[in-house]
Amino acid sequence: MSIRFAFFDAKPYDIAAFEPHIGQDIRFKFFETKLNADTAELAHGFDGVCIFVNDTADAEVIDHLCEAGVKLIALRCAGFNNVDLKHAAGKLTVVRVPAYSPHAVAEHAMAMLLCVLRKVHRAYIRTRDFNFSLNGLTGFELHGRTMGVVGTGRIGREFIRICKGFGMKILAYDKFPAKDADFDYVPLNELLAGSDIISLHCPLTDDTYHIIDADAIARMKKGVVLINTSRGALVDADALLEGIKARQVGAACLDVYEEESDIFFEDYSGHIVQDDTLARLIYMPNVIVTSHQAFLTDEALSAIAATTISNIREFFADGKCQNEISYKKQG
Ligand code: NAI
């Protein structure tokens, strides 16, 4: 008998990436809706659920899933801040895709940075209107500048490699510094004060929630550029907006946003967006917002699908999986 999976928040690019990997042994039912307390009952009769970054697996949802007979939550992403691991312990197993393509996210972070620094986003709109004026488009060069990298795991280190290619100096901060690093670690406050650009590559945890708040922004160099491709709640968005208005923050590149879960991945053109902070940030000439797309490459989607399917097969073969995440392991 095949393993039956409810696949939430399914987008056409997910289905295209997963279909080539599906065999006779696993059946997916693709649901467009996100997983939350209202939709959890759709999981009735399925062996597992496959979810992404903006699905919710809090205590209430986990209880629904257990009643529905679900044994496995297969995250098709690296981050797992949307799953209540403590509540899941002993009830069902949670697996993830720890790494798929650090290049995808690191390259997107650099793409956003170059775009905002050299004002490509503004030039693109101008020339489409046959406005060839250069006024207001002066940028600054990366060569010789200092990049502060918070979190030096797979993505942070790939981003550092790219920055070095641009001739940048690196200041790094990590709660668990790598022993074999070929760059300098400094305390967070030193990084904040000494960096021209700061890029966040740490996970969202109790420790890192609002790691960039009003106090952190006040410690930064005037005109600092902030890049966040990790998780929205690393940054206090209201404090960032104030920092931009006060010209303390010179530019921001945001692929994630604290309140993104009801907005990102959906088409709201023609609607009145109610989130004033997001609307104001998007309207700033020195802010670029992309909707959590840093992972979105052919290579990453294919690797995500392959690892997710292999996680599911591994778990249903012997009840264990090397990519399992548990409360105990994280605690
Ligand atoms: P990783 O686990 O390889 O690296 C995370 C690093 O953060 C580790 O070196 C760890 O020691 C460090 N860290 C943990 N707690 C910290 C703290 N309190 N302060 C400073 N550093 C801390 O993870 P990876 O693959 O590099 O991913 C990083 C993050 O990128 C993920 O947690 C996820 O939130 C985000 N991400 C975003 C994507 C997107 O599409 N925008 C796609 C994939 C990941």
Side-chain angles (χ1 to χ4, degrees):
M1 245 194 21
S2 26
I3 306 160
R4 298 192 66 234
F5 254 75
F7 191 112
F8 286 89
D9 203 9
K11 297 284 187 274
Y13 48 82
D14 291 315
I15 298 170
F18 269 76
E19 269 178 344
H21 295 270
I22 299 172
Q24 291 294 322
D25 56 334
I26 305 176
R27 294 264 159 83
F28 281 105
K29 169 105 179 158
F30 294 103
F31 293 106
E32 277 183 32
T33 182
K34 291 186 178 62
L35 176 66
N36 56 41
D38 296 330
T39 61
E41 67 181 49
L42 290 170
H44 262 279
F46 288 93
D47 301 302
V49 293
C50 183
I51 65 171
F52 197 48
V53 293
N54 289 327
D55 291 297
T56 304
D58 58 12
E60 188 184 359
V61 170
I62 286 170
D63 288 343
H64 278 309
L65 294 179
C66 290
E67 278 165 32
V70 165
K71 292 166 202 69
L72 183 69
I73 297 180
L75 285 155
R76 53 181 193 278
C77 54
F80 48 84
N81 51 285
N82 51 338
V83 180
D84 186 338
L85 289 179
K86 189 175 180 184
H87 195 77
K91 297 189 180 76
L92 40 69
T93 302
V94 184
V95 296
R96 66 167 178 151
V97 181
Y100 39 94
S101 173
H103 312 288
V105 181
E107 289 176 15
H108 189 77
M110 183 49 84
M112 292 180 93
L113 177 62
L114 288 172
C115 184
V116 85
L117 284 189
R118 304 307 298 270
K119 318 222 165 137
V120 177
H121 57 309
R122 298 180 60 201
Y124 174 77
I125 292 167
R126 274 193 199 182
T127 54
R128 281 175 71 92
D129 199 27
F130 299 97
N131 173 356
F132 300 106
S133 158
L134 295 182
N135 294 337
L137 298 186
T138 308
F140 73 75
E141 295 172 21
L142 291 178
H143 186 87
R145 297 272 178 173
T146 300
M147 175 65 76
V149 177
V150 180
T152 56
R154 284 167 282 248
I155 296 170
R157 291 182 77 152
E158 176 57 20
F159 187 67
I160 288 172
R161 199 185 62 73
I162 293 172
C163 292
K164 284 186 166 182
F166 277 85
M168 300 190 77
K169 296 173 202 141
I170 307 294
L171 292 179
Y173 168 73
D174 197 301
K175 195 175 174 187
F176 311 100
K179 293 197 173 59
D180 59 342
D182 56 354
F183 46 81
D184 293 329
Y185 283 105
V186 292
L188 182 59
N189 278 343
E190 228 172 275
L191 181 151
L192 297 176
S195 303
D196 300 302
I197 302 155
I198 295 173
S199 194
L200 306 177
H201 298 289
C202 57
L204 176 61
T205 62
D206 291 345
D207 275 355
T208 59
Y209 175 79
H210 284 187
I211 194 169
I212 304 300
D213 58 7
D215 179 55
I217 290 170
R219 290 166 192 269
M220 294 175 188
K221 278 190 184 180
K222 193 163 176 65
V224 66
V225 179
L226 181 71
I227 309 169
N228 188 7
T229 56
S230 252
R231 284 294 179 269
L234 297 177
V235 177
D236 178 341
D238 290 312
L240 175 63
L241 184 56
E242 288 311 311
I244 291 167
K245 282 158 74 178
R247 314 282 198 277
Q248 169 70 0
V249 176
C253 308
L254 307 174
D255 185 52
V256 286
Y257 176 67
E258 187 166 2
E259 304 298 333
E260 71 180 46
S261 61
D262 291 332
I263 299 177
F264 281 17
F265 305 143
E266 308 303 332
D267 180 358
Y268 282 104
S269 52
H271 292 249
I272 306 294
V273 169
Q274 297 296 326
D275 186 325
D276 289 349
T277 306
L278 179 62
R280 192 77 211 273
L281 283 169
I282 284 174
Y283 251 95
M284 289 287 177
N286 51 354
V287 175
I288 295 189
V289 175
T290 52
S291 55
H292 208 133
Q293 79 172 70
F295 74 100
L296 197 66
T297 63
D298 290 334
E299 293 84 349
L301 286 172
S302 175
I304 288 170
T307 305
T308 303
I309 302 263
S310 115
N311 284 346
I312 294 171
R313 286 198 177 117
E314 208 180 313
F315 173 77
F316 283 98
D318 62 7
K320 290 200 197 96
C321 175
Q322 59 169 340
N323 291 327
E324 177 178 345
I325 34 171
S326 66
Y327 180 65
K328 212 166 125 210
K329 273 192 205 160
Q330 304 306 317

